Amino acid sequence: MQGSLFGRLPDEIGWECLVRVEFNSHHNLRCVCKSWNAALKSPQFYQERKKLQISEKRICVLQKMDSNWKRVVVYDLEKNSYKSLPPIPAQIYGNCHCHVVKQKLVLIGDIFRSGGGNCLLLYDFACSKWREGAAMPEWKDGFASAVDEESGLIYVGGGFHCKYPVASASVYNVEEDRWDLLPDMNTCMDDFTGAFADGKFYVMGDGHYCHTIEVFDSYTRSWKTMENRFRSVSMCFVSAFERLYFFFGMGLIEYDYRQDKLNIVETFPTKNWHVSIDFTVVVGHNIFICRWDLIQGETFYLLTPPSERGEAFKWTGIERPLGSQGYAINAATLDL
């Protein structure tokens, strides 16, 4: 850091103090002076918090309140509390995907601005503001998407356009607000779920598209088709702990993509339990699961992997925060 930010206090010491202030107080700190405001908005500020392992884990949850009103809440697991973000400045009519890239929440999907036309929305936590981003190259729904944490790129594949499944794919650069087309997938699919791991974008379709998994290699920029050895559809799967975890009817399946090995590691509490899963996200050393059914309504779980191979996974039910409303559509993990 250059210049004097803290009066007579050396900048090195002041900076060490500033990065350790909890996130809920950052808004007040930005009001102190222009220098502090600029410091807290800088990428280096959050990078330093992450480097010192003092960043705070949050879950950004997109909620449906009624047929035309949706909102985003930031959920604090440790305190079991939530805080609403400012109102979304556009209408979300259908499905919508959530991703976080460098303290920016990105919403991609059936989003239309008030003046007409499709768009993408970003919320910058550094300045607490929404803004519009470039729309996808073609409007479509039912697509798969995933973020490459290393590069910050968001990959999108498949979906349906004008009621027909498509094989098109693209990638979004958040920093440059730019979409680039990718080669088409080998198979037209819709109702997708996706994950990114080890430089590859994995895409699985629903229904009669579930017999294959499409894999895009970000280094060779080419697709290959894998046989779905599960012979079943996964409502969702997630990249975590250098593995892919698939939620199938027979249980939780762990896929070691480096050694191409499958292993059923956990069964579910009840039959067809996986069918009601809305989304899964990785939070620290846990997988956060949101599901909904007619009997229990919306419920949250934490799935903790064993510390040693051969031990059982741990399921922990989480109480819904007091005062929360609506139901969750999608979510993304945030480091602050």
Side-chain angles (χ1 to χ4, degrees), residues 280-311:
T280 60
V281 292
V282 179
V283 184
H285 299 292
N286 305 282
I287 299 175
F288 179 82
I289 301 169
C290 175
R291 67 184 299 272
W292 188 93
D293 61 40
L294 292 174
I295 299 175
Q296 294 181 299
E298 186 175 78
T299 53
F300 299 147
Y301 295 85
L302 275 185
L303 179 60
T304 306
S307 56
E308 296 183 8
R309 304 297 293 180
E311 295 182 354

Side-chain angles (χ1 to χ4, degrees), residues 26 97 100 174 212 275 327:
H26 287 186
H97 294 228
V100 171
V174 177
T212 61
V275 175
Y327 66 90

Side-chain angles (χ1 to χ4, degrees), residues 12 38 91 98 103 110 112 139 166 176-177 186-187 279:
E12 292 78 9
Q91 288 291 330
C98 304
Q103 286 70 54
D110 225 356
F112 290 86
W139 180 91
V166 296
E176 299 180 10
D177 189 28
N186 299 315
T187 308
F279 61 81

Side-chain angles (χ1 to χ4, degrees), residues 198-262:
D198 197 32
K200 296 180 177 64
F201 175 38
Y202 292 79
V203 176
M204 177 184 288
D206 196 352
H208 57 285
Y209 301 109
C210 71
H211 60 285
T212 61
I213 299 175
E214 294 284 337
V215 185
F216 178 76
D217 190 319
S218 62
Y219 301 108
T220 63
R221 294 182 66 81
S222 61
W223 291 92
K224 74 172 183 179
T225 303
M226 291 175 52
E227 179 187 3
N228 179 2
R229 286 172 282 172
F230 315 113
R231 293 298 180 184
S232 177
V233 61
S234 177
M235 298 306 293
C236 59
F237 65 106
V238 63
S239 172
F241 327 122
E242 298 185 346
R243 301 286 193 276
L244 287 176
Y245 290 91
F246 294 81
F247 294 79
F248 282 105
M250 69 286 286
L252 179 67
I253 294 183
E254 178 186 81
Y255 174 56
D256 185 338
Y257 44 78
R258 292 177 178 172
Q259 299 187 27
D260 193 29
K261 291 183 178 180
L262 298 174

